[in-house]
Amino acid sequence: MRVICAGIQKTGTKTMAQALRILGYEVHDVFQQYFYEKDIWYKIMDNTATAKDIQNALSGVDALTDLPGNILWEQLHQAFPDAKVILTVRSTEDEWYESVRNHYEVTNSLILFRNETIISLLFFIISGKIRRGFSEFAQIFIPASLGTQHMLGIPPSAVLRSRYRQHNLYVKRKCPKENLFVYNVKDGWGPLCEFLGVSVPDIDFPAKNVRAEFVKEVASGTSPADCDFGKITIQETKIRLSKIALLCVLAITVLFVIY
């Protein structure tokens, strides 16, 4: 592990992931962390993971961005004390909050119903193994990060803002100064490459997940960076709906024959 990105969500985590990949790092973002390292995150949350466990689980990874590595950065840094820690921040707290708000609005716009009971029922009926597993994963780590459940609507501004301040202040206070870099992705390649000790690449600095485009890509199964999570969950839903349709046809046929 060479780089731990401790920035909370909506501070340019997808942009950081792409920038580090361009620089040649093997980067695991949220979906890679779910598919490949899920067990170690649960062990860390249960306080049963040793430094050796963490080192073994992440032996082939150069950098982590987004959940849950960003909120478990301290345990990661204890296991990898030579790793550099990058705390991504926004220009202002208001800018960060508006980005979170937009993310929730985009997510809500993809939901057909506004009743949580109906949503829970439909989720139970049509969701497959991968989608259910990721939902459980998110229900643990999103509240741990943002201080609020991932729910319908938009979480209270005061809660989100408080968590943003608390997280940033804690990282700045606890991380050794020689390992820490507080960074705004708007500053581009120069400061980042200087901190990492690498050459500036001959390519424009990336800009990912602008206006929550990543959410739409995952939902449509077109994201190049979700380990095919979107495609898999769409296929799972189609299969479950097909089975439900078949059962309905069989039930109707049986009723027709009986009556």
Side-chain angles (χ1 to χ4, degrees):
M1 181 66 59
R2 299 158 62 191
V3 178
I4 302 166
C5 293
I8 205 168
Q9 296 95 295
K10 307 310 296 178
T11 57
T13 57
K14 296 295 173 289
T15 294
M16 275 300 302
Q18 182 61 16
L20 291 171
R21 286 176 180 133
I22 291 172
L23 293 174
Y25 291 81
E26 175 63 33
V27 182
H28 280 198
D29 197 50
V30 60
F31 283 106
Q32 287 79 21
Q33 292 179 60
Y34 167 65
F35 278 106
Y36 305 132
E37 290 101 33
K38 178 170 58 177
D39 290 346
I40 194 63
W41 306 127
Y42 288 144
K43 288 188 71 174
I44 292 174
M45 291 295 280
D46 289 338
N47 292 317
T48 59
T50 65
K52 191 65 175 179
D53 291 334
I54 298 173
Q55 292 164 2
N56 290 338
L58 297 166
S59 60
V61 183
D62 294 321
L64 291 173
T65 57
D66 213 297
L67 284 172
N70 58 351
I71 59 170
L72 299 176
W73 70 270
E74 193 170 13
Q75 291 87 341
L76 294 172
H77 200 248
Q78 289 169 357
F80 300 98
D82 294 329
K84 297 179 181 294
V85 178
I86 299 177
L87 175 65
T88 45
V89 296
R90 299 298 288 259
S91 300
T92 66
E93 182 182 300
D94 287 341
E95 181 181 279
W96 176 79
Y97 172 71
E98 287 305 317
S99 181
V100 176
R101 180 182 177 86
N102 177 71
H103 184 94
Y104 271 86
E105 287 177 345
V106 171
T107 302
N108 290 333
S109 72
L110 300 174
I111 301 173
L112 295 178
F113 301 95
R114 293 292 180 268
N115 184 286
E116 292 195 22
T117 301
I118 295 176
I119 291 173
S120 298
L121 178 61
L122 288 175
F123 182 84
F124 175 78
I125 292 173
I126 69 176
S127 292
K129 179 180 178 180
I130 297 299
R131 183 68 185 86
R132 288 171 184 267
F134 187 77
S135 178
E136 293 172 1
F137 185 76
Q139 286 172 7
I140 293 173
F141 294 109
I142 288 179
S145 175
L146 297 179
T148 181
Q149 292 289 339
H150 188 61
M151 65 181 96
L152 195 63
I154 301 171
S157 169
V159 173
L160 291 174
R161 290 174 183 273
S162 177
R163 282 297 299 133
Y164 179 70
R165 295 183 206 128
Q166 291 170 10
H167 179 81
N168 291 347
L169 286 171
Y170 187 79
V171 175
K172 292 175 184 178
R173 175 173 295 181
K174 296 294 290 186
C175 184
K177 301 302 181 186
E178 63 272 18
N179 294 93
L180 178 63
F181 179 46
V182 181
Y183 175 64
N184 188 325
V185 296
K186 292 181 179 179
D187 293 335
W189 287 121
L192 176 63
C193 291
E194 181 180 357
F195 175 71
L196 296 175
V198 300
S199 299
V200 175
D202 187 21
I203 184 174
D204 289 340
F205 194 81
K208 293 294 182 180
N209 201 24
V210 177
R211 305 299 297 174
E213 64 181 16
F214 185 69
V215 175
K216 300 173 186 176
E217 290 174 349
V218 172
S220 63
T222 60
S223 172
D226 71 346
C227 301
D228 287 333
F229 173 82
K231 292 178 182 177
I232 293 170
T233 54
I234 289 172
Q235 187 61 32
E236 284 182 336
T237 298
K238 287 180 178 179
I239 291 172
R240 291 180 71 87
L241 289 174
S242 296
K243 290 180 178 179
I244 291 170
L246 179 60
L247 288 174
C248 289
V249 170
L250 290 174
I252 292 171
T253 302
V254 169
L255 290 174
F256 181 79
V257 171
I258 293 175
Y259 293 104

